[in-house]
């Protein structure tokens, strides 16, 4: 009986629509990570003496803005355009997506990030894949707080961007989300890296083989995402359910 129940539930998450949503998350996350990590590598290649200077920070922030806006847009009508395990977690906490679907999304996002970083590593040959690190004067706790605040802002923008009451303004939701991410990178890049995305930090760490302070890019973002989801749905707009993904992962923004 238990096996039959498990089989029936599992089949709900391997329907054609569900599989398309997982693939959409993989594709969008792949290109997002490819652009963000690739822009950091390109900056280091072109300006080796200024790899951590203002020019590099601005370049990565701009790349983050364009890449996230585009990635959210191309996947929004299929999977909801999460592109980020923290966003998926925040929506799961808010009840907009089931835990099971969230786990499948996480697998797609993490795998996509690793594949994107691996491709960059293989294609560039001589260049190392950069990883997210915290400033030497910061503690892991402080960096986690920074990443949590950044991710709160990002996930809050995701909720607002998918709010069905926005009317015509809802169409610019992906752009608003991208602009929020880019501004956060400008604000905190020199301190914690401004990842806001556990998959982004994880993929580069796996390929580079360095996991120091990796917990910073999980604990902070997941807590920030959860608080943002709960605050938006239960305090700022109580009783309102923004248009997002159903429990089977078949409906987008």
């Amino acid at each position: 009986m238990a096996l039959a129940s498990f089989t029936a539930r599992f089949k709900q998450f391997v329907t054609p629509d569900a599989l398309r949503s997982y693939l959409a998350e993989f594709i969008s996350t792949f290109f997002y990570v490819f652009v963000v990590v690739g822009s950091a590598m390109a900056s280091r290649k072109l300006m080796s003496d200024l790899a951590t200077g203002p020019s590099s920070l601005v370049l990565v922030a701009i790349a983050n803005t364009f890449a996230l806006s585009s990635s959210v847009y191309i996947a929004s009508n299929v999977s909801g355009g999460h592109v980020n395990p923290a966003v998926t977690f925040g929506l799961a906490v808010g009840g907009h997506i089931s835990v099971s679907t969230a786990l499948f999304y996480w697998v797609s996002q993490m795998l996509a990030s690793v594949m994107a970083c691996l491709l960059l590593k293989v294609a560039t040959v001589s260049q190392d894949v950069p990883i997210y690190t915290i400033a030497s004067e910061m503690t892991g706790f402080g960096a986690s707080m920074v990443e949590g605040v950044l991710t709160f802002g990002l996930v809050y923008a995701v909720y607002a961007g998918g709010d069905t009451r926005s009317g015509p303004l809802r169409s610019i939701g992906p752009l608003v989300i991208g602009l929020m991410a880019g501004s956060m990178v400008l604000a905190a890049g020199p301190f914690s890296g401004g990842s806001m995305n556990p998959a982004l930090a994880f993929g580069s760490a796996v390929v580079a083989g360095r996991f120091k302070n990796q917990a910073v890019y999980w604990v902070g973002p997941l807590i920030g995402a959860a608080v943002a989801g709960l605050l938006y749905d239960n305090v700022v707009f109580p009783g309102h359910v923004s248009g997002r993904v159903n429990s089977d992962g078949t409906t987008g923004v």
Side-chain angles (χ1 to χ4, degrees):
M1 187 68 179
L3 179 61
S5 177
F6 173 80
T7 302
R9 287 183 60 83
F10 181 77
K11 287 181 178 180
Q12 295 178 3
F13 301 104
V14 292
T15 63
D17 285 339
L19 292 175
R20 279 193 289 270
S21 70
Y22 308 150
L23 179 60
E25 281 299 306
F26 179 91
I27 293 172
S28 59
T29 305
F30 178 92
F31 283 109
Y32 170 68
V33 174
F34 186 88
V35 171
V36 173
V37 177
S39 66
M41 296 175 70
S43 174
R44 186 169 58 187
K45 175 71 172 178
L46 296 174
M47 302 178 292
S48 57
D49 295 334
L50 300 172
T52 58
S55 298
S56 176
L57 177 63
V58 172
L59 173 64
V60 173
I62 293 174
N64 213 305
T65 298
F66 289 158
L68 187 57
S69 297
S70 302
S71 297
V72 170
Y73 178 81
I74 64 176
S76 61
N77 289 330
V78 182
S79 67
H82 296 191
V83 199
N84 185 337
V87 170
T88 299
F89 184 74
L91 291 170
V93 169
H96 299 275
I97 183 173
S98 72
V99 173
S100 300
T101 299
L103 291 175
F104 280 104
Y105 273 32
W106 272 27
V107 172
S108 298
Q109 293 157 352
M110 304 293 282
L111 182 60
S113 180
V114 172
M115 294 299 292
C117 291
L118 184 61
L119 177 59
L120 286 168
K121 175 70 174 178
V122 172
T124 58
V125 183
S126 61
Q127 287 209 61
D128 293 327
V129 173
I131 64 171
Y132 281 87
T133 58
I134 65 176
S136 58
E137 65 273 15
M138 292 191 70
T139 64
F141 178 74
S144 292
M145 289 183 62
V146 170
E147 285 293 318
V149 171
L150 300 181
T151 310
F152 174 92
L154 177 63
V155 175
Y156 196 89
V158 169
Y159 266 83
D163 196 324
T164 55
R165 295 175 297 178
S166 299
L169 291 177
R170 192 180 177 200
S171 62
I172 65 170
L175 177 60
V176 171
I177 294 168
L179 289 172
M180 177 64 82
S183 64
M184 294 300 191
V185 172
L186 288 173
F191 304 109
S192 65
S195 168
M196 298 168 281
N197 189 326
L200 178 59
F202 177 79
S204 58
V206 168
V207 174
R210 290 176 288 171
F211 294 91
K212 185 177 181 180
N213 294 316
Q214 186 66 200
V216 166
Y217 304 102
W218 283 88
V219 176
L222 293 183
I223 294 176
V227 173
L230 292 173
L231 184 66
Y232 190 93
D233 273 348
N234 298 288
V235 179
V236 181
F237 295 109
H240 172 67
V241 179
S242 57
R244 275 287 163 180
V245 182
N246 292 329
S247 60
D248 62 354
T250 58
T251 304
V253 175

